[in-house]
Each structure stands twice: as structure tokens, then as C-alpha cells.
Amino acid sequence: MIICEFIGSVEFYVICALVAAAVLGLCVKPAQKGEVRTFLYPGILETESEPTDEEIELTCLDDGSVKICRHGLNGKIATDGAYSIAVKLSGFDVEIIERITRGHGDSMSPSAPTKATVTTDFAGQDYYHFRYKNEETGQLAVFTLHNRPGIHVIKKFTH
């Protein structure tokens, strides 16, 4: 009889609501990302026949690596300059920070590089959320990549 009175009381429903809220809170808690790993990759500078827009092009290769091409370096880098990226991987979130060393030569020369290529090996075959940025110019590209052989993504930069 006392149990029946307790089930019908306000206190019982308040306790049930608190327990339900606690269970729901535990169910929607995001998973731990884990440690952040950093990878540094040098780029190979190339000259394209025609100037292109500033964009990032990613191609997933058969061995699981990702080839990153940075187009539109017209006038930003000389033949003696350098291009590299720092990749920060935290779970499935990837932040790529572009580093351009201009060099001392003429960046407007016809032989000056207009494209840089990097082949990375940090990703497994899964979905990744990319944030590609250049801190000096404020350029940014955000996209999702499903790393499967043959997948090809082109993304223009925003300012």
C-alpha cells in the first residue's frame, strides 16, 4: 500500500525525470577525440601552363594516401621558394595549415611555380572533416572527404 502511494506521488515522477535526463545525457555525450597528432609534409612545386583560381584539389589514391594539390600560387612564390603543410589529426577532424616561403627570386617570372603537390599518408579509409587554411592570408576551405580510391574533391578558398 505504501508503494502504491509512492508511485502516485510527485516525488516519484521527479526522480523518474532526473534519472531519464541522466541516461539521455550519457547517451548523447560525444566520444573522446583522443590525442592530436601532427604531421609535416613538404610540397613539390610545379608550373602550370595557364594560371588557375586559388583552390585545393584532393585525390584519394589506391594505397590509402591522399594527394593534395594547391592551385593558384601565381605571384606568391618564387622558384627558390618553398611550400609545406602541417596536418593536425584529431579523431576524424583534420586541420591543414599551409606554409609558403616566398623566396628571393622573381615570383612573377613565367617559370615561377603556380601549383604545389603533397602526398600524405595519415588517413585511413574513412570520412574526414577537413579545415585547410593559410594563416597569413586568411584563406580557408572546409569540406568532408571520404577516403576511398578514386574519390576526387575540388574546393575553392574563401576569405
Side-chain angles (χ1 to χ4, degrees), residues 13 28 44 51 57 66 73 96 110 119 125 131 145:
Y13 290 108
V28 297
I44 298 171
E57 176 183 3
V66 178
L73 292 174
I96 299 177
T119 302
Q125 292 192 351
R131 181 180 172 90
L145 176 72

Side-chain angles (χ1 to χ4, degrees), residues 66-143:
V66 178
K67 179 180 168 187
I68 301 173
C69 294
R70 166 61 156 94
H71 298 279
L73 292 174
N74 317 336
K76 293 186 178 191
I77 191 166
T79 53
D80 62 344
Y83 174 89
S84 65
I85 59 173
V87 178
K88 294 181 181 178
L89 178 65
S90 176
F92 296 107
D93 295 330
V94 179
E95 180 179 19
I96 299 177
I97 300 170
E98 174 181 84
R99 297 183 179 150
I100 297 175
T101 304
R102 185 175 181 85
H104 300 291
D106 182 13
S107 61
M108 299 307 285
S109 162
S111 63
T114 58
K115 171 184 171 183
T117 304
V118 177
T119 302
T120 64
D121 58 359
F122 65 87
Q125 292 192 351
D126 218 326
Y127 285 95
Y128 290 90
H129 308 284
F130 278 80
R131 181 180 172 90
Y132 188 103
K133 65 182 180 178
N134 182 319
E135 293 177 339
E136 290 180 21
T137 62
Q139 293 176 310
L140 178 70
V142 179
F143 51 92

Side-chain angles (χ1 to χ4, degrees), residues 3-18:
I3 293 176
C4 290
E5 289 177 16
F6 179 69
I7 290 177
S9 68
V10 174
E11 291 85 4
F12 173 75
Y13 290 108
V14 170
I15 292 171
C16 287
L18 289 175

Side-chain angles (χ1 to χ4, degrees), residues 25-65:
L26 289 174
C27 289
V28 297
K29 181 181 174 187
Q32 296 292 335
K33 284 188 176 183
E35 65 183 39
V36 175
R37 296 182 300 168
T38 302
F39 304 91
L40 302 174
Y41 296 101
I44 298 171
L45 297 174
E46 302 172 44
T47 303
E48 295 178 307
S49 58
E50 294 187 24
T52 58
D53 291 336
E54 293 194 50
E55 62 188 16
I56 188 80
E57 176 183 3
L58 285 88
T59 306
C60 301
L61 305 176
D62 293 335
D63 63 355
S65 57

